[in-house]
Amino acid sequence: MNAVAEYFRNIADAVTTTIAGMKITLRYWVKEPSITVEYPDRLGPGKTAADVVADRFRGFLRLDLDKCIGCMQCMRACPINCIRITVEKTAEIRMLTRFDVNQAKCMYCGLCVEECPSNALVFSKRFEGACFNMQELCVRHVTGPVPVAKLAAVSTK
Ligand code: SF4
Ligand code: SF4
C-alpha cells in the first residue's frame, strides 16, 4: 500500500513542480521585459553589438596614442605577457615603435588598465573576434614610430 501511495505522490509532485516551472516561464514570456538579446539577428534597427552591452563591459583593449606616455607599466602588470611594447629614444624624443596586445591570450583581468597612469589603455566594447588565424587576434596598435605623449600633457588618475 505504501509503495502505491508513494507512486501516486511522485506523480503528484511531478505535475505540481512542472506547473510551477511553467508558471514562471509563462510570466517571463508574457509579462516581464526580455533580459537577453538574440544576437546578432535581433539587436534592433541600426544597433550594433556595442550599443547593447553594458557600459562596464570588458572587450578588446583600446589604446589612445595621444595619451600613452610609453611607461610600460601595463606590460609589466600583465600576469600572462599579453602586451609587448618597445620604446626607442631618438635624440630628445622617445618613440613608441611597438605596442601589441595578444587578445587571444588576454583574460580581461583589467590589471593593465588599472596600472595605466594616463588612462591611455581602456576596455572597448568590441568582443567579436572570430577569425581563422589566431595571429589576427594579436592587435598591433602601432604600425610605425609614434612620439610618446608628455606626462604633463595628459590627465593622470
Ligand atoms: S586584461 Fe589582464 S590579461 Fe589582458 S592584457 Fe591586461 S593585464 Fe593582460
Ligand atoms: S598604455 Fe598606459 S601603462 Fe601602457 S605604456 Fe601607455 S601610458 Fe604606460
Side-chain angles (χ1 to χ4, degrees):
M1 187 61 190
N2 275 350
V4 174
E6 193 178 338
Y7 174 77
F8 284 106
R9 199 166 45 243
N10 284 345
I11 291 176
D13 279 352
V15 171
T16 50
T17 53
T18 303
I19 289 172
M22 290 311 292
K23 270 167 71 180
I24 294 169
T25 304
L26 277 173
R27 194 178 79 223
Y28 274 91
W29 188 26
V30 177
K31 272 190 179 173
E32 305 282 337
S34 75
I35 297 166
T36 54
V37 175
E38 280 186 42
Y39 170 82
D41 306 330
R42 307 225 174 138
L43 289 174
K47 283 191 174 176
T48 65
D51 297 324
V52 296
V53 295
D55 286 340
R56 295 174 65 194
F57 182 79
R58 293 182 176 189
F60 279 27
L61 287 164
R62 184 173 59 226
L63 175 70
D64 185 344
L65 280 170
D66 293 335
K67 289 182 176 178
C68 180
I69 57 173
C71 64
M72 299 192 187
Q73 286 191 48
C74 52
M75 183 171 81
R76 291 189 199 105
C78 181
I80 50 174
N81 301 324
C82 295
I83 303 176
R84 284 278 171 266
I85 302 171
T86 312
V87 176
E88 288 171 20
K89 196 170 179 185
T90 55
E92 291 307 306
I93 309 169
R94 290 173 68 239
M95 306 287 277
L96 207 53
T97 51
R98 181 187 183 194
F99 198 120
D100 299 346
V101 180
N102 188 344
Q103 294 292 167
K105 212 171 152 191
C106 177
M107 58 182 176
Y108 301 89
C109 64
L111 290 173
C112 54
V113 173
E114 290 290 319
E115 279 301 310
C116 180
S118 59
N119 297 323
L121 197 62
V122 294
F123 284 113
S124 72
K125 291 184 174 180
R126 182 187 162 205
F127 62 88
E128 293 151 316
C131 58
F132 289 103
N133 184 350
M134 287 253 288
Q135 294 305 316
E136 290 172 34
L137 291 176
C138 184
V139 181
R140 299 192 193 289
H141 292 277
V142 170
T143 49
V146 181
V148 300
K150 297 264 185 270
L151 181 58
V154 294
S155 68
T156 52
K157 287 174 183 170

